[in-house]
Amino acid sequence: MKLTQDQIDRFHETGYLMLPNLFSTEEADVLRQGAEEVYAMERKEVVRELDGVSPRTAFAAHCYHEAFRRLGRHPRLIEPVMQLVDGPVYMHQYKVNAKVAFDGAVWQWHQDYGTWSRDDLMPEARAMNIALFVDEATEFNGPLWIIPGSHREGVYEAGHDIETTSYPLWTLDKAKVSELAERGGIYSAKGDAGSVLMFHSNIVHASSPNLSPWGRTIVYLSLCHVENHIRRFKRPDWVAHRDFAPIEPLPDDCLLAPMTPFAEDGSGIQVAAE
Ligand code: SIN
Ligand code: MN
């Protein structure tokens, strides 16, 4: 799948691009089922909220669940990012973020490349997120908030917050967020299940807690140009991956092809059309 010049220009201008309904409801259903299966697993990669029960995020689900493995090689996600970073990409990080009904907690204001540069020594912001909405994201269930244009000035100063949630994050202070939001406003990324949001790795973003009775699962692929791979291996390899081989996209119908059990060597990937 290729972005148009207009979409590329809008991405560079604002730092994000929304692609509504890029995946069908049938494809989103496959992933919703997959997310339930993953959150039911007792694995170190499945991080819970501070209550110790509610799933917050499942890291590296492409390494242990077949549907998420296929999504990690999906051409509708991989190809637009290859276009924007201008070359082959590897998977730097993979998250299935839950934000469960009533108990899903905040993600504080931050920049992803702030973490990738400080913790992982990724050389440049030649990496980005592409997020697929597994559930509809509404004003109620803690949609992602983005400050348009906040990707243009590099990495801002940040403090390492290890207390607010169960997951440590380099977060921006209130004065900087206020200044940026005064300038750019805040975009609330709402959309149907199956919609896709691409955002620059320096964009300032956050999301509020989910007080609604509706869950909000989003899958984030953080893709990096292969030459821009991380130089420091401080975080676990299931948080910041070390397989820098270029991702070969699968056929477009891979999520709807018969789902085989996950196999370590990739032999479970059977697709209808090669
Ligand atoms: C993130 O910024 O990595 C996740 C935010 C969210 O899922 O709300
Ligand atoms: Mn983030």
Side-chain angles (χ1 to χ4, degrees):
M1 190 199 113
K2 285 265 185 289
L3 299 173
T4 64
Q5 192 55 48
D6 175 58
Q7 289 173 318
I8 295 172
D9 293 346
R10 275 194 284 139
F11 176 84
H12 289 307
E13 170 68 17
T14 60
Y16 69 91
L17 186 65
M18 180 61 114
L19 303 167
N21 305 95
L22 190 62
F23 286 74
S24 66
T25 50
E26 211 183 346
E27 289 171 316
D29 290 347
V30 169
L31 298 166
R32 193 170 314 107
Q33 169 70 30
E36 273 172 35
E37 290 163 8
V38 162
Y39 295 145
M41 295 177 182
E42 290 298 328
R43 310 180 55 105
K44 59 180 182 314
E45 296 91 343
V46 181
V47 176
R48 310 278 159 189
E49 299 284 14
L50 285 174
D51 64 12
V53 182
S54 314
R56 176 170 177 80
T57 185
F59 282 103
H62 64 309
C63 298
Y64 51 86
H65 190 283
E66 184 60 21
F68 290 111
R69 188 217 318 247
R70 294 182 191 189
L71 188 70
R73 292 179 55 189
H74 204 291
R76 272 175 259 157
L77 299 182
I78 304 300
E79 287 168 4
V81 178
M82 286 175 64
Q83 208 180 340
L84 284 171
V85 304
D86 196 20
V89 293
Y90 80 94
M91 189 72 68
H92 171 57
Q93 190 172 80
Y94 192 115
K95 304 197 295 292
V96 185
N97 282 7
K99 189 132 343 191
V100 296
F102 297 111
D103 295 319
V106 65
W107 286 82
Q108 313 93 303
W109 287 107
H110 67 282
Q111 296 171 294
D112 284 359
Y113 182 66
T115 300
W116 303 342
S117 58
R118 289 180 182 99
D119 286 348
D120 307 326
L121 293 187
M122 184 186 283
E124 288 174 39
R126 202 174 179 194
M128 56 178 290
N129 285 306
I130 186 156
L132 168 58
F133 297 2
V134 173
D135 298 309
E136 184 185 3
T138 70
E139 65 265 49
F140 302 113
N141 61 3
L144 199 69
W145 292 351
I146 278 177
I147 300 186
S150 58
H151 61 301
R152 296 200 204 107
E153 296 173 337
V155 174
Y156 296 115
E157 242 178 70
H160 205 208
D161 182 351
I162 55 171
E163 282 171 6
T164 306
T165 75
S166 56
Y167 183 67
L169 208 56
W170 289 95
T171 59
L172 272 65
D173 67 26
K174 292 174 186 167
K176 178 50 80 181
V177 173
S178 305
E179 176 199 321
L180 292 169
E182 195 61 44
R183 232 190 287 161
I186 298 179
Y187 168 70
S188 180
K190 295 181 277 186
D192 291 337
S195 297
V196 164
L197 175 74
M198 312 181 71
F199 54 102
H200 193 283
S201 54
N202 270 332
I203 205 90
V204 175
H205 61 286
S207 62
S208 60
N210 184 4
L211 285 177
S212 84
W214 302 290
R216 190 232 61 179
T217 299
I218 300 180
V219 188
Y220 295 85
L221 274 59
S222 303
L223 298 161
C224 180
H225 192 286
V226 291
E227 286 162 15
N228 191 46
H229 66 77
I230 61 170
R231 305 301 200 247
R232 181 162 67 194
F233 304 149
K234 179 176 127 181
R235 302 197 292 169
D237 60 1
W238 45 272
V239 175
H241 297 299
R242 292 162 206 177
D243 176 359
F244 308 136
I247 297 173
E248 301 283 346
L250 291 171
D252 192 77
D253 60 358
C254 58
L255 280 178
L256 299 178
M259 211 43 82
T260 47
F262 182 86
E264 206 68 48
D265 61 1
S267 57
I269 299 180
Q270 290 169 13
V271 285
E274 195 65 59

